[in-house]
Amino acid sequence: MSLKIELRRVATNGVRLNVALAGEGPAVLLLHGFPHTWRLWTEVMERLAAQHRVIALDLRGLGASPRATDGYDAANLAADAEGLLAALGETSAAVVGIDAGTPPAFLLAMRRPGLVRRLAVMESLVGALPGAEDFLAGGAPWWFGFHAQPGLAESVLTGHEAQYIDWFLDRGTLGRGVPADIRDAFVHAYTGAEALRCAFSYYRALPTSARQIQEAVATSRLTVPTLAVGAQPVGDALERQLRPVADHLVGHVIEDCGHIIPLDRPAALLDLLEPFLG
């Protein structure tokens, strides 16, 4: 990739986040999930940076961001993002979230519609809002319970991180895999008990995040233009959750695409994102 990327540590909300910056123009903030880092967006950053200032961070505790003790609930992660934009001098941004990045992106848009110009969310659920019943008919994915039990998953997986991460990368691309350098970066980012603890803290905070989302929709609506993108396995469940609470929602499901949309089908994602972001 010929794109010039600047890596910077930015202080926000009690942490110093690792942030990748590229391009100039209206800000676009990119929030990854598990088991990713900012490099999840590698295949889409160049085209986005042609028209935008792209801000791709390593979420709290993940990647090259320091291993935070706590603060992994969606509201606090939204505060991380809000503070990051302020520290970078941005008074308005489009916010794009996938997987674990979706709930904080949603809450930030709910709480600060004047700050979030547009919202794009992918392959995730937003708390326990109605609409995901079909997706959850057989129960939540097995790893949610495994990751949620304090101390268990990291004690079992330490020393076997590469095999575990590879399973998610293979499954998340329908067997196609991701570029070797990005795979290696993801494995490195999630190697060690502390790195795993931080990753699984997102799952352990899900009940708190769900309460925060429920409280938000009880008193206000999602008023910013919103794009919900699904693939396998989430499909249109996220769109169904957002439909009753959003004023301006467009939904798409990308066919023959795994969960890790920005690496599995980057061109198809950009075809949706670029016109939406304007």
Side-chain angles (χ1 to χ4, degrees):
M1 186 169 64
S2 59
L3 180 65
K4 183 178 185 295
I5 294 175
E6 175 194 359
L7 293 177
R8 192 188 299 182
R9 288 288 181 98
V10 180
T12 169
N13 195 30
V15 292
R16 291 183 65 84
L17 299 178
N18 183 59
V19 183
L21 301 166
E24 295 180 355
V28 176
L29 179 67
L30 305 177
L31 306 177
H32 67 82
F34 172 82
H36 323 136
T37 69
W38 73 265
R39 294 198 62 188
L40 172 74
W41 309 102
T42 300
E43 304 290 329
V44 301
M45 284 180 73
E46 187 158 17
R47 268 175 61 179
L48 290 179
Q51 302 290 334
H52 301 89
R53 186 190 194 194
V54 178
I55 303 165
L57 67 149
D58 283 341
L59 292 175
R60 169 181 291 252
L62 305 183
S65 292
R67 308 290 175 229
T69 304
D70 52 20
Y72 294 95
D73 57 281
N76 197 60
L77 296 165
D80 287 354
E82 182 177 355
L84 172 61
L85 290 171
L88 293 174
E90 298 292 350
T91 57
S92 172
V95 178
V96 181
I98 188 171
D99 192 75
T102 286
F106 172 78
L107 275 186
L108 182 59
M110 290 287 288
R111 293 177 169 190
R112 291 292 314 278
L115 173 66
V116 179
R117 185 173 68 250
R118 299 201 157 227
L119 174 69
V121 283
M122 295 176 265
E123 275 298 287
S124 178
L125 300 184
V126 279
L129 297 186
E133 292 80 10
D134 289 349
F135 174 70
L136 295 172
W142 64 265
W143 56 90
F144 276 64
F146 178 47
H147 293 174
Q149 186 62 38
L152 175 63
E154 52 267 50
S155 68
V156 172
L157 294 170
T158 301
H160 304 281
E161 296 92 341
Q163 298 97 311
Y164 197 62
I165 299 305
D166 280 341
W167 186 87
F168 284 96
L169 300 183
D170 182 71
R171 186 177 187 275
T173 56
L174 307 185
R176 289 181 281 261
V178 304
D181 61 325
I182 296 175
R183 175 264 181 195
D184 292 346
F186 288 168
V187 169
H188 175 75
Y190 291 91
T191 293
E194 263 298 277
L196 292 171
R197 176 193 64 78
C198 293
F200 303 144
S201 292
Y202 283 78
Y203 295 84
R204 293 161 194 171
L206 283 174
T208 300
S209 299
R211 285 195 300 272
Q212 294 164 344
I213 289 166
Q214 196 65 50
E215 290 165 1
V217 301
T219 57
S220 57
R221 291 184 58 79
L222 181 61
T223 58
V224 305
T226 300
L227 172 67
V229 182
Q232 294 186 40
V234 178
D236 67 352
L238 176 58
E239 178 190 352
R240 289 173 177 268
Q241 283 189 303
L242 294 177
R243 184 66 63 190
V245 302
D247 288 347
H248 310 283
L249 176 66
V250 176
H252 290 276
V253 175
I254 301 176
E255 298 300 326
D256 187 31
C257 180
H259 177 70
I260 312 175
I261 300 174
L263 289 172
D264 195 32
R265 286 283 180 262
L269 176 59
L270 283 164
D271 288 345
L272 297 174
L273 271 184
E274 287 179 316
F276 176 73
L277 297 176

